Amino acid sequence: MVDSPPGAGPNNTITDVTGVSVGHRHRLDERWATGSTVVLTPEGAAAGVDVRGAGPGTRETDVLDPDHLVQLVHGVLLGGGSAFGLSAADGVLRWLAERGHGLRVGSTPHEVVPIVPAAVLFDLPMSDWGRRPDATFGYAACEGRTRGVPATGNVGAGTGAVAGAIKGGVGTASAVLDDGTTVGALIAVNSSGAVVDPRTGLPWALSSGLEGEFDVPAPSAEAIAAARGRSARTDRAGAEIAPLNTTIGVVATDAGFGKSECRRIAVAAHDGVARAVRPAHGMTDGDTVFALATGDRSGAPAPGEPGWVAALDAVCTVAAEVTARAIVHAVLAAGSVAAVPGYTRLYHPERE
């Protein structure tokens, strides 16, 4: 268990939301740096999505439109591998279907179609060509799922991620509202924009942290100057490459919201992306955030009932906050890979 600042859930992770589990599968060696992450809700969750980047790679996002038939999803797949990596969702479908989880389309329990939206990031230069996630990654991620504390940093979808000129990765955070509602986020940070303020050497969204959440001293002037002079993005061989991009993630809550409210939560979560990544939502980004509502905590007002607007606004506000905090956790947890330095190596080499 990790330290849990006041205001966070027990583990300060998205799995603090009842009904949510997380699994990773990745390969990280001299030829591979990529992987997949699955956020599972096998019993079903209402879902929404908001795509802000102009270069997304997605699957099954149309079913999340509030006026479309399907009301619940059974998992979300986040992955590396660009468009190739979307095939990892096939493995998630197989794993869920084997266990009878999905939209029932027949008279017997095994006749189900799991609904698994997906989004991918571009990390192809971090592996030898042709090495990218496939259906076996999605299936293995499900097999390794946990409702406890999921690994962060160079894992799953964040294995080959690059954030600005430093190593990106997977991060997570949670918060508990005054009424007991829990909100959590899991984000894979692979941004073309910077996640660190070049003037201070500190993550842009460090101030979003709860009391005692981030132990990050100010870097030395020498480290800041050295980092400022390092702007090139490099592949595993050290050759300069075009920007790797796309920040993707999932925000979840145990509130009893529907698809329309989830859409608003996903919209709000992008505020957290913009606080932590500068610039965000560019033409070469595919920034995509999904929102899930498991409904395990009853009592949320229905649309039109007194308190509905206030309840939704409260969750939206916290969704942006946990997203920003998850991005900081991703950056701090990610270690160096090949020629791409992690935050600690670049700004606090004395700590390595």
Side-chain angles (χ1 to χ4, degrees), residues 17-334:
V17 177
T18 304
V20 173
S21 58
V22 171
H24 301 298
R25 170 70 172 107
H26 56 269
R27 286 193 62 176
L28 180 57
D29 54 38
E30 67 278 1
R31 304 187 72 182
W32 289 78
T34 191
S36 302
T37 294
V38 63
V39 178
L40 286 172
T41 54
E43 302 306 319
V49 66
D50 187 39
V51 179
R52 291 291 176 93
T58 58
R59 167 173 166 166
E60 293 276 44
T61 52
D62 282 351
V63 301
L64 305 183
D65 192 306
D67 67 358
H68 287 182
L69 171 66
V70 172
Q71 295 301 304
L72 301 176
V73 306
H74 306 94
V76 174
L77 186 283
L78 307 175
S82 190
F84 298 106
L86 289 170
S87 64
D90 292 340
V92 182
L93 265 71
R94 181 165 69 90
W95 188 91
L96 287 164
E98 288 175 353
R99 290 153 180 81
H101 298 298
L103 175 67
R104 299 213 172 272
V105 295
S107 59
T108 61
H110 72 277
E111 294 177 300
V112 296
V113 177
I115 307 300
V116 183
V120 290
L121 51 81
F122 182 78
D123 61 357
L124 297 179
M126 294 296 287
S127 300
D128 288 356
W129 187 256
R131 275 119 182 118
R132 55 243 183 180
D134 57 17
T136 65
F137 278 66
Y139 193 95
C142 294
E143 288 282 273
R145 72 200 183 284
T146 179
R147 290 187 177 179
V149 180
T152 58
N154 297 343
V155 297
T159 305
V162 178
I166 67 174
K167 187 67 182 66
V170 167
T172 184
S174 71
V176 180
L177 281 65
D178 290 342
D179 67 357
T181 300
T182 301
V183 183
L186 183 141
I187 308 293
V189 188
N190 187 67
S191 57
S192 56
V195 291
V196 174
D197 183 344
R199 299 165 300 175
T200 66
L202 295 171
W204 287 113
L206 194 69
S207 61
S208 297
L210 303 176
E211 184 178 354
E213 185 170 15
F214 301 121
D215 177 22
V216 185
S220 67
E222 292 77 14
I224 294 172
R228 189 179 297 129
R230 187 191 183 286
S231 58
R233 302 165 65 96
T234 56
D235 63 13
R236 294 178 68 86
E240 187 170 353
I241 54 177
L244 305 175
N245 30 54
T246 298
T247 296
I248 54 179
V250 178
V251 174
T253 179
D254 54 6
F257 291 133
K259 292 170 69 175
S260 294
E261 292 97 332
C262 286
R263 159 72 176 169
R264 296 306 308 171
I265 294 168
V267 168
H270 275 288
D271 290 349
V273 175
R275 294 171 195 172
V277 178
R278 304 184 187 182
H281 309 141
M283 289 298 294
T284 61
D285 289 305
D287 298 342
T288 301
V289 178
F290 298 92
L292 305 175
T294 65
D296 287 276
R297 184 181 178 278
S298 60
E305 291 184 352
W308 170 69
V309 171
L312 179 56
D313 275 348
V315 171
C316 287
T317 297
V318 174
E321 295 170 357
V322 295
T323 297
R325 288 165 46 214
I327 291 172
V328 176
H329 280 297
V331 172
L332 299 181

